[in-house]
Amino acid sequence: MPERYVPKEAITHGDGGTAALAMAEAETLEGGRNGRGGSPRDKPRSLWGDAWRDLRRNPVFLVSALIILFLVVIAIWPQLIADGNPYRADLAKAQEGSAPGHPFGFDTQGRDVYTRTVYGARASITVGICATAGAALLGSVLGGLAGFFGGWWDALLSRVADIFFGIPVLLGGLVFLSVVTSKTVWPVVGFIVLLGWPQIARIARGSVVTAKQNDYVQAARALGASSGRLLLRHIAPNAVAPVIVVATIALGTYISLEATLSYLGAGLKPPTVSWGIDISTASTYIRNAPHMLLYPAGALSITVLAFIMLGDAVRDALDPKLR
């Protein structure tokens, strides 16, 4: 019978050799994860790593991300693809169709529709991103605190959120923005944040309530972790995924809401260049000059669709139940 190798630790330490061998095995595995040995398959996989891997393979995400990246670039530097002036008017060309150098034609004041469509992306993207960031931040903080502490704070937040949910969005926008004289995008952003945070707060609250019941949170609490550490280190990273999904989808909704309010005359106001303003102006002349309505409305539809597609792709990647 061949001799069996007995580790030195087992001979030296007797019964304690088993523990020593276990520690040595743990060090070997740890060394493999840190690049000192083993294979890449030994590396732990996280939710975000799996989500990014799935997103890179999803054509819906790639197409929508490219469209959004293009829109963001032209919103920051519209002169890259439109060298004209969106305010320059030539009444002699009013309502004319496409011409050399002016592929989208002219509006009722002889302004280039192509240039105004490109410059209109700035207001819509600014409102969408700023409103989404504000609503997500405010809703996440309030909803996270309510879900973590519960009690009277949770009850108070729920009742306040119910009040805001009861306000009709369009009617509230018409009333709120009709008394604002500012011609910038910030009153519209503030209104959307005011009515948008309750939805994010409810999602954040539910995620925090679910996450704080996990075993690792209970273990950290038993070890004496403070409330701040529990919330920031253990709960928030595992509860933020649903908030990101809802906020991404809501961004497209906020852009369409801004265009709707501008169309009704309560949102952005001239001289701001906005798709909603141009659609409102063109709706009266849709029979004689349909090109005035077609291009800004098409740009708005593509933008909203791109953000909704992006939100759907992110949702599919971050929800393990859908895999």
Side-chain angles (χ1 to χ4, degrees):
M1 183 174 181
E3 256 184 30
R4 191 170 57 180
Y5 171 71
V6 180
K8 181 179 179 181
E9 291 85 346
I11 298 175
T12 305
H13 302 286
D15 292 337
T18 303
L21 286 176
M23 294 178 61
E25 181 67 14
E27 291 176 359
T28 302
L29 293 175
E30 185 66 24
R33 294 189 184 101
N34 293 334
R36 296 190 298 268
S39 64
R41 295 181 181 177
D42 294 330
K43 294 182 178 180
R45 294 167 59 182
S46 65
L47 172 65
W48 301 102
D50 289 345
W52 175 240
R53 184 189 61 185
D54 293 342
L55 287 174
R56 288 182 299 176
R57 299 176 180 177
N58 191 343
V60 174
F61 169 78
L62 296 177
V63 172
S64 59
L66 289 176
I67 294 175
I68 292 172
L69 178 62
F70 172 75
L71 291 170
V72 171
V73 170
I74 67 172
I76 299 175
W77 301 290
Q79 61 274 13
L80 292 177
I81 61 173
D83 55 358
N85 187 341
Y87 303 106
R88 182 179 301 165
D90 185 357
L91 292 177
K93 299 179 180 179
Q95 301 185 31
E96 288 187 2
S98 60
H102 307 278
F104 292 177
F106 301 88
D107 64 4
T108 55
Q109 299 183 28
R111 298 172 298 190
D112 185 23
V113 176
Y114 170 76
T115 303
R116 291 187 63 82
T117 301
V118 173
Y119 276 81
R122 174 176 293 177
S124 296
I125 297 297
T126 301
V127 170
I129 292 178
C130 293
T132 302
L137 180 61
L138 181 60
S140 298
V141 172
L142 296 180
L145 293 176
F148 183 77
F149 292 106
W152 67 269
W153 174 255
D154 188 13
L156 177 62
L157 178 73
S158 299
R159 300 293 77 78
V160 173
D162 291 340
I163 294 174
F164 281 96
F165 274 120
I167 301 176
V169 177
L170 289 181
L171 179 59
L174 292 175
V175 174
F176 178 81
L177 296 175
S178 62
V179 299
V180 177
T181 59
S182 175
K183 297 182 179 180
T184 63
V185 301
W186 303 117
V188 180
V189 171
F191 167 75
I192 295 176
V193 171
L194 185 64
L195 292 188
W197 72 265
Q199 180 186 15
I200 304 293
R202 283 193 171 182
I203 299 297
R205 175 192 175 277
S207 299
V208 170
V209 169
T210 302
K212 76 176 184 179
Q213 298 174 356
N214 292 328
D215 293 339
Y216 60 86
V217 177
Q218 300 301 326
R221 188 190 300 274
L223 291 174
S226 62
S227 298
R229 182 177 180 83
L230 286 174
L231 189 58
L232 297 178
R233 287 291 302 274
H234 301 286
I235 296 179
N238 297 282
V240 72
V243 174
I244 293 176
V245 173
V246 174
T248 306
I249 298 177
L251 201 156
T253 306
Y254 294 159
I255 291 177
S256 63
L257 176 59
E258 176 273 318
T260 303
L261 292 173
S262 299
Y263 176 83
L264 296 175
L268 301 180
K269 300 175 179 62
T272 303
V273 181
S274 168
W275 291 332
I277 295 175
D278 288 351
I279 292 173
S280 178
T281 303
S283 61
T284 309
Y285 306 92
I286 187 172
R287 292 186 178 181
N288 299 329
H291 64 276
M292 293 171 49
L293 177 66
L294 176 63
Y295 295 110
L300 175 64
S301 300
I302 292 174
T303 302
V304 174
L305 180 61
F307 280 106
I308 293 177
M309 290 169 55
L310 181 69
D312 288 340
V314 173
R315 180 198 60 196
D316 295 342
L318 290 178
D319 191 349
K321 298 179 182 178
L322 299 177
R323 296 178 185 170

